[in-house]
Amino acid sequence: MSEADAVPARPIEVLLRSRRVVTPTGTRPAAVAIAGERIEAVLPHDAPPPEGARLVDYGDAALLPGLVDTHVHINDPGRAAWEGFASATRAAAAGGVTTLLDMPLNSVPPTVSPEALAVKQAAARGRTWVDVGFWGGAVPGNAGRLRPLHQAGVFGFKSFLSPSGVEEFPALDPEGLAGALTEVAAFDGLLIVHAEDPERLTEAPEGSRRYADFLATRPAEAEHAAIERLITLAARIGARVHVLHLSAASALPLIAEAKAAGIAVTAETCPHFLTLTAEEVPDGATEFKCCPPIREAANQDALWAALADGTLDCVVSDHSPCTADLKVPDFGAAWGGISSLQLGLPAIWTAAEARGHQLDDVARWMSTAPARLAGLRHKGAIEPGRDADIAVLDPEAGFTVDPAALHHRNPVTAYAGRTLKGVVRATWLRGRPILETSGTSGAATMDGPGPGGARPAPEPTGRLIERTVT
Ligand SMILES: [Zn+2]
């Protein structure tokens, strides 16, 4: 700690004390001093609260930087029956997520122009429990709208190389991808890509209840081929690219080699790829359907190894809900998407701990790295100067997932009935609690609307955020 950190310059209003504070320099007993919306200092555990400051002692519960989930589909307006800003961001708060970035598709309009962005912002304003920003979309014919969208504050641009699932957000062909990369590179923007090669995908199996039939239609080679093309083009054009929801471990060497060669590529994977396996998907259980698909256990082991060695940067939810009636027990007809916004932290912590990882790793994958990807310099770490966004996690407590107790709009999730470790006791956004445990019990219970009985604050205090102008 530097001398400047030890002598707060602004009045401390809140002191959050814990024996496990996860900081960029390790996890240790400490007291997080908050002034206004920012972390002013990280003080010794026994530092007395300054006069007038509120002391909250969380005991052994860990303080993590609030999660930054850069991959969330809120679908509002247009498909608000699938998910909305209020329900999604309450789920986020209950899951320790303090910042999320909304994907440009599944809402109507999709976020492919500054006008559409304004419509999205109007739908979100005043209705978010956490801070919310927006990705734009790069689709055929909108190359001329990318720079204005960038100037309007989107964090980057999403594109598909295969059909997206909704007709208003078409995929880019190879020529279109090159064009989008060239345009985005011209203003040093970021292109984030759903990378599956349509030539290697086959039709979904109509009428099949067998997961293996669906998995066979979206082979690992489809991801490999698309990522290879993306990296080749990005290197040639000099564009910054990010691979979304990587599922196929066979593509990892492409990412590792590109990074080693200095190509500006990053990659994310998702809790479902890291905690669920193809072998265990029951017949007809289309709550497990997503694209790219959940693969076999051996594939999952390789994804964990890639997180450990830094080939994969981020773990984000790809929360992509729909109404329950669209999850028919037919892997061809069902909507693809997994709802997990509120469960990502316990799902990942449960599996990470079993594999010998620490809370520091989880904070890096789920907060620090996504914040860096989005250029959110005030988010993603517990250190002086950052926003006082904190997730309070009891890492030893467990709970069983009851979909009806989750806050997202439609009570469907692939995690139903699973026992997970890690209960979010409280969440702080910019120095104020947005989720607090209602009861006095420290035990894991299901007595409230979420795991642990914690409830989101009655009023939303989230802010709409824009890309930091550099
Ligand atoms: Zn997605």
Side-chain angles (χ1 to χ4, degrees), residues 175-222:
E175 200 179 326
L177 174 62
L181 284 168
T182 302
E183 178 63 21
V184 169
F187 51 79
D188 194 30
L190 175 68
L191 198 74
I192 63 173
V193 181
H194 179 124
E196 286 183 291
D197 179 357
E199 302 294 322
R200 289 162 206 260
L201 302 176
T202 50
E203 279 295 307
E206 282 300 323
S208 176
R209 291 171 52 86
R210 290 186 61 234
Y211 185 73
D213 292 345
F214 166 67
L215 182 57
T217 68
R218 307 194 84 101
E221 299 77 56

Side-chain angles (χ1 to χ4, degrees), residues 413-440:
T413 177
Y415 296 90
R418 278 175 193 268
T419 299
L420 300 178
K421 223 173 145 183
V423 171
V424 177
R425 298 289 184 206
T427 306
W428 290 69
L429 175 68
R430 287 182 277 97
R432 300 284 178 273
I434 55 169
L435 176 89
E436 284 191 287
T437 305
S438 51
T440 53

Side-chain angles (χ1 to χ4, degrees), residues 224 226-236 238-243 246 250-267 309-313:
H224 192 283
I227 290 170
E228 190 164 44
R229 178 187 301 148
L230 175 67
I231 289 173
T232 302
L233 275 174
R236 187 185 306 156
R240 296 192 295 125
V241 295
H242 176 72
V243 177
L246 189 142
S250 59
L252 291 167
L254 296 171
I255 308 276
E257 287 161 21
K259 285 184 170 184
I263 298 167
V265 59
T266 50
D309 72 18
T311 303
L312 290 173
D313 300 275

Side-chain angles (χ1 to χ4, degrees), residues 14 95 123 317 323 338:
V14 179
S317 70
T323 48
I338 290 179

Side-chain angles (χ1 to χ4, degrees), residues 71-73 103 105-106 158 160 194 244-245 268 270 291 317-320 336-337:
H71 196 149
V72 180
H73 296 265
M103 280 293 167
L105 73 156
N106 300 348
K158 180 178 194 180
F160 277 75
H194 179 124
L244 296 163
H245 46 47
E268 69 185 34
C270 306
C291 302
S317 70
D318 193 8
H319 177 76
S320 186

Side-chain angles (χ1 to χ4, degrees), residues 65-281:
L67 270 57
V68 177
D69 192 339
T70 52
H71 196 149
V72 180
H73 296 265
I74 294 185
N75 313 328
D76 185 5
R79 290 190 179 90
W82 294 15
E83 188 63 288
F85 283 102
S87 51
T89 58
R90 273 199 297 265
V97 176
T98 48
T99 305
L100 64 80
L101 297 191
D102 174 60
M103 280 293 167
L105 73 156
N106 300 348
S107 60
V108 181
T111 320
V112 296
S113 68
E115 296 78 15
L117 174 65
V119 171
K120 294 277 299 189
Q121 289 170 325
R125 192 163 289 118
R127 296 172 59 211
T128 71
W129 266 257
V130 303
D131 286 354
V132 172
F134 298 90
W135 295 106
V139 294
N142 84 330
R145 314 310 306 279
L146 301 183
R147 188 184 289 266
L149 258 177
H150 176 75
Q151 288 165 342
V154 300
F155 286 82
F157 303 89
K158 180 178 194 180
S159 57
F160 277 75
L161 308 184
S162 54
S164 73
V166 293
E167 62 183 22
E168 69 274 6
F169 200 95
L172 295 175
D173 61 15
E175 200 179 326
L177 174 62
L181 284 168
T182 302
E183 178 63 21
V184 169
F187 51 79
D188 194 30
L190 175 68
L191 198 74
I192 63 173
V193 181
H194 179 124
E196 286 183 291
D197 179 357
E199 302 294 322
R200 289 162 206 260
L201 302 176
T202 50
E203 279 295 307
E206 282 300 323
S208 176
R209 291 171 52 86
R210 290 186 61 234
Y211 185 73
D213 292 345
F214 166 67
L215 182 57
T217 68
R218 307 194 84 101
E221 299 77 56
E223 284 188 70
H224 192 283
I227 290 170
E228 190 164 44
R229 178 187 301 148
L230 175 67
I231 289 173
T232 302
L233 275 174
R236 187 185 306 156
I237 292 166
R240 296 192 295 125
V241 295
H242 176 72
V243 177
L244 296 163
H245 46 47
L246 189 142
S247 167
S250 59
L252 291 167
L254 296 171
I255 308 276
E257 287 161 21
K259 285 184 170 184
I263 298 167
V265 59
T266 50
E268 69 185 34
T269 191
C270 306
H272 39 277
F273 299 139
L274 294 163
T275 66
L276 308 173
T277 61
E279 291 91 335
E280 65 189 328
V281 179

Side-chain angles (χ1 to χ4, degrees), residues 29-74:
V32 181
I34 299 170
E37 298 191 340
R38 297 284 173 88
I39 296 168
E40 183 69 19
V42 180
L43 302 171
H45 183 260
D46 59 359
E51 198 176 325
R54 176 186 174 195
L55 171 68
V56 184
D57 192 338
Y58 285 112
D60 287 324
L63 305 193
L64 281 75
L67 270 57
V68 177
D69 192 339
T70 52
H71 196 149
V72 180
H73 296 265
I74 294 185

